[in-house]
């Protein structure tokens, strides 16, 4: 089977890996519009559920991702005028560039043809293919070529946000809220290597305009943010990739859904098919799980002698069902941040609990646990218990066998 993946992000590269593992005779090509080694974005976050899946599907790339991942063990909440509080939970993060390197190397080992700088006149040049996977992001050009058929719907969020990086390495995943003369502004930050962190800044459009970010270029905008968040950055700078081009990375989040996910031999994957708000940190996870589901559907369809239409229908049905709870959580999370100023006067523990509870109502015992784990001793006990769980799951994964042999 001839398979072309349009987009060399995690979704496209990982599906290419799985397709070759399922059948080495597949002729798989990945087309990436950027030059080799060029990517935008900083770090990505993920949790045990994705690692469990990665080890089941391809232990080789999974082990490399695990070895390269930065491990953090709680959430820290900082807010002007309040004590620092903490939320339980651990996770993993990895530089996007490093993740793409790992997946690209694995794809090349398996015989995938990965091509870079593949666009001509703003459009990918596609080789003949039996299956074309559109994994070219939220602004998918391949999807837009059949926009009426796919029926993409785009809802634009109210808040403004910008995705930055910094050489300041945060100790753990951190939310920081600062009150300015123009209103509240905040960040979501996490380390993804020994020398860098992701730093996502968000605020209401009123605060954004009052702080003049609508007038400042990337360099001036970063300088203003460095001043606002000086107490959090330890004198280190903020970096906007767009500074060299004179632009700025500020945007409003776009929630994308599609009426259909396939059109003839074309299937949508990852952000081209759906987006979920960055506040729940699931974009990379969902894209790679899309790749797993499409690979499963393709393998099952091949074994049963099904045509491609049946294969793509099975893939879409499985992923739509899996996405529903996360899409609801993402909408609830983004709505909470749009209303964040209304929570700002809560006492520290209540404020951080409201932040943790933004996806839905927790039972009362969760609040009791939250309050009792704000001391150093109880926090250490909880971190110890979670660390033991993380080690147990890691040991278990290392003994799992790959779905694809």
């Amino acid at each position: 089977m001839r398979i072309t993946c349009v987009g060399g992000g995690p979704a496209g590269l990982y599906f290419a890996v799985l397709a070759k593992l399922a059948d080495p005779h597949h002729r798989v090509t990945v087309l990436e519009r950027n030059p080799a080694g060029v990517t935008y974005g900083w770090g990505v976050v993920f949790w045990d559920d994705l690692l469990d899946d990665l080890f089941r599907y391809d232990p080789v790339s999974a082990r490399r991702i695990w070895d390269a991942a930065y491990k953090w063990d709680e959430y820290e909440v900082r807010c002007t005028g309040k004590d620092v509080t903490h939320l339980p939970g651990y996770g993993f993060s990895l530089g996007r560039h490093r993740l793409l390197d790992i997946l690209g190397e694995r794809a090349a080992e398996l015989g995938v043809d990965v091509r870079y700088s593949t666009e001509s006149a703003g459009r990918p040049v596609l080789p003949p293919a039996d299956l074309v996977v559109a994994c070219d992001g939220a602004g998918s050009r391949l999807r837009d070529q059949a926009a009426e058929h796919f029926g993409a719907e785009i809802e634009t969020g109210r808040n403004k946000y910008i995705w930055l990086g910094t050489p300041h390495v945060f100790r753990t995943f951190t939310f920081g809220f600062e009150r300015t003369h123009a209103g509240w502004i905040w960040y979501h930050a996490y380390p993804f290597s020994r020398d860098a962190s992701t730093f996502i800044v968000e605020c209401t459009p009123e605060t954004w305009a009052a702080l003049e970010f609508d007038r400042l270029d990337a360099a001036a905008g970063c300088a203003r943010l460095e001043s606002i968040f000086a107490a959090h950055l330890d004198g280190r700078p903020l970096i906007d990739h767009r500074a060299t081009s004179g632009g700025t990375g500020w945007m409003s989040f776009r929630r994308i859904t599609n009426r259909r996910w396939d059109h003839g031999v074309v299937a949508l994957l990852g952000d081209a098919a759906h987006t979920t708000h960055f506040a729940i940190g699931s974009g990379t996870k969902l894209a790679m799980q899309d790749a797993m589901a499409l690979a499963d559907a393709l393998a099952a369809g091949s074994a049963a002698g099904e045509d491609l239409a049946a294969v793509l229908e099975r893939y879409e049905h499985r992923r739509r069902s899996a996405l529903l709870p996360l899409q609801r959580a993402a909408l609830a999370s983004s709505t909470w941040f749009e209303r964040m100023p209304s929570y700002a006067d809560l006492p520290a523990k209540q404020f951080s609990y409201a932040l943790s509870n933004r996806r839905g109502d927790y039972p009362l015992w969760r609040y009791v646990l939250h309050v009792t784990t704000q001391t150093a001793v109880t926090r250490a006990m909880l971190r110890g218990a979670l660390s033991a769980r993380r080690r147990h799951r890691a040991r278990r994964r290392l003994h799992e066998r790959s779905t694809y042999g």
Side-chain angles (χ1 to χ4, degrees), residues 21 47 116 118 130 147 159 182 254 258 262 310 322 348 364 390 395:
L21 285 171
W47 288 268
Y116 296 93
T118 56
D130 303 301
N159 282 357
R254 296 190 304 159
N258 285 275
D262 66 275
L364 179 60
R390 178 169 63 188
R395 286 194 298 268

Side-chain angles (χ1 to χ4, degrees), residues 78-80 176-180 183-187 228-229 231-232:
R78 309 174 184 175
C79 188
T80 302
F177 299 80
E178 284 290 333
R179 189 197 297 269
T180 73
W184 286 92
I185 186 168
W186 55 91
Y187 66 83
I228 292 171
F229 295 116
H232 305 262

Side-chain angles (χ1 to χ4, degrees), residues 170-245:
F170 284 82
R171 183 188 65 82
T172 192
F173 197 113
T174 305
F175 295 99
F177 299 80
E178 284 290 333
R179 189 197 297 269
T180 73
H181 71 278
W184 286 92
I185 186 168
W186 55 91
Y187 66 83
H188 319 229
Y190 53 86
F192 63 82
S193 71
R194 295 180 179 179
D195 55 10
S197 299
T198 295
F199 196 90
I200 307 169
V201 180
E202 185 181 8
C203 61
T204 65
E206 293 81 9
T207 297
W208 178 76
L211 291 172
E212 300 183 326
F213 289 118
D214 55 338
R215 306 178 189 178
L216 301 177
D217 63 15
C222 282
R224 181 153 298 177
L225 290 171
E226 289 164 13
S227 175
I228 292 171
F229 295 116
H232 305 262
L233 292 168
D234 196 26
R236 309 308 297 275
L238 292 172
I239 303 166
D240 184 346
H241 280 315
R242 292 168 177 78
T244 56
S245 64

Side-chain angles (χ1 to χ4, degrees), residues 256-274:
I256 296 173
T257 57
N258 285 275
R259 185 174 61 249
R260 294 284 304 275
W261 285 20
D262 66 275
H263 181 38
V265 300
V266 178
L268 304 181
L269 197 74
D271 283 351
H274 52 78

Side-chain angles (χ1 to χ4, degrees), residues 74 86 349 369-383:
E74 66 181 349
H86 302 85
K349 294 176 185 178
L369 177 65
H370 171 68
V371 171
T372 58
T373 54
Q374 295 307 310
T375 68
V377 172
T378 54
R379 275 178 51 220
M381 292 173 61
L382 184 56
R383 286 202 310 271

